[in-house]
Amino acid sequence: MKTFRLSNGVEIPAVGYGSYLSTEGNGRQTIKDALDSGYRYIDTAMFYRNEAEIGEALREYGIPRNELFLVSKVWHTMLGREKTLQSFEGSVKALGTDYLDMFLIHWPMGPDKDTDWLSLQTETWQVMEELYEAGKVRAIGLSNFLPHHIEPLLKNVKITPMLDQLELHAGYMQEYALAYLRSKGIVIQAWSPLGRARMLKDERIAALASKYGKTPAQVLLRFLLDRDIAVIPKASSIERMKQNLDVFDFHLTGEEISYLSCIPESGWSGEHPDMM
Ligand SMILES: NC(=O)c1ccc[n+]([C@@H]2O[C@H](COP(=O)([O-])OP(=O)(O)OC[C@H]3O[C@@H](n4cnc5c(N)ncnc54)[C@H](OP(=O)(O)O)[C@@H]3O)[C@@H](O)[C@H]2O)c1
């Protein structure tokens, strides 16, 4: 599979498995299905409350640890030195491992609007750096951080974040943030790459799907990959999981990429880091 290379040389699969709400109903089997389908990158977070279920699924499946790329995130109520370490320890323990492939700060703001968020985030990032330097995580990054969150952080830290995970899909491309992240060498990854299914019925996407003999989900994922953005779609059935990996045998044209990059805002989740 195509990979994206982080600034420290670590490579991540271009398509990972997004696990938010994925274990509800079908539990560990969903994760085993994702592995059967070919996923090796699993995106989770303390907030998803499924790390233990994922850990059990991985143990039962019996896959060698070094074949996996496990990513978790520290939630905004767990920022600061002690809580971030506690969050990290909780995640690795629940996942049944002793290191993470990548650890992300989930959201830029603290839960309390009166908090000095920059100090709290700087302290948190310094803990991430320590975990990285101690070999407990292979890569460190951010999620939902926009340029005005990252720029002040960079003034006080040693290591530039290696990846930023943002809501990105046709209809919500956050171009200003993309240009900034590229200028800093930060790999970009899309959460809700299908607009949490909201973009699947869009007639513009359907037209391209029929042109290429692909599904709307595949066109949406191909579009992001053609924009050099890694993706972590969530799907519940093996058929959809496989479909979302089967996106490497076609490309959109430059005109189609421009068209989908410029469609008016559609399918936005309503979640914005400055309004949380
Ligand atoms: N960092 C953050 O703050 C943040 C926020 C949100 C999400 N995330 C991460 O990003 C991942 C993906 O985002 P998401 O789950 O919000 O949305 P998404 O991946 O854009 O969309 C998931 C939805 O699309 C459906 N779907 C998936 N593949 C399909 C296909 N081939 N055909 C038709 N329908 C399909 C799924 O249905 P079924 O499940 O029924 O198959 C589900 O309803 C999450 O799981 C999570 O890991 C991160």
Side-chain angles (χ1 to χ4, degrees), residues 16-22 30 39 41-45 47-48 50 71 73 75 104-107 142-144 165-169 189-200 215-218 220-221 231-245 269 271 276:
Y17 184 68
S19 76
Y20 183 46
L21 301 178
S22 73
T30 308
Y39 292 88
Y41 180 119
I42 299 179
D43 177 81
T44 183
F47 176 72
Y48 300 172
N50 63 5
V71 182
K73 316 184 190 83
W75 188 238
L104 309 177
I105 303 181
H106 210 142
W107 288 92
L142 304 170
S143 174
N144 299 302
Q165 186 184 106
L166 295 177
E167 176 175 357
L168 293 167
H169 48 77
Q189 187 179 56
W191 64 256
S192 290
L194 311 175
R196 203 167 283 170
R198 288 180 293 271
M199 293 307 292
L200 293 169
T215 66
Q218 288 170 322
L220 286 161
L221 296 173
V231 295
I232 47 166
K234 173 251 181 185
S236 304
S237 67
I238 291 194
E239 187 205 9
R240 285 180 176 179
M241 289 174 185
K242 285 188 176 164
Q243 200 188 101
N244 295 347
L245 283 174
S269 65
E271 295 169 30
M276 289 291 283

Side-chain angles (χ1 to χ4, degrees), residues 82-127:
E82 294 313 316
K83 287 185 183 169
T84 298
L85 286 171
Q86 199 186 320
S87 175
F88 171 78
E89 294 302 339
S91 291
V92 287
K93 188 170 174 218
L95 287 164
T97 181
D98 52 5
Y99 71 95
L100 289 178
D101 293 282
M102 189 156 59
F103 198 33
L104 309 177
I105 303 181
H106 210 142
W107 288 92
M109 298 305 186
D112 172 3
K113 285 205 168 55
D114 297 329
T115 305
D116 174 1
W117 71 268
L118 181 55
S119 302
L120 198 53
Q121 292 291 6
T122 302
E123 184 181 316
T124 304
W125 186 255
Q126 286 163 349
V127 175

Side-chain angles (χ1 to χ4, degrees), residues 2 29 73 77 96 102 106-107 111 114 123 132 136 138 145 150 167 181 189 191 195 201 227 235 241 275-276:
K2 178 184 160 52
Q29 189 55 44
K73 316 184 190 83
T77 54
M102 189 156 59
H106 210 142
W107 288 92
D114 297 329
E123 184 181 316
Y132 175 68
K136 294 185 170 182
R138 293 176 62 219
F145 277 61
I150 301 174
E167 176 175 357
L181 294 170
Q189 187 179 56
W191 64 256
K201 292 200 167 66
R227 293 280 323 258
M241 289 174 185
M275 292 158 41
M276 289 291 283

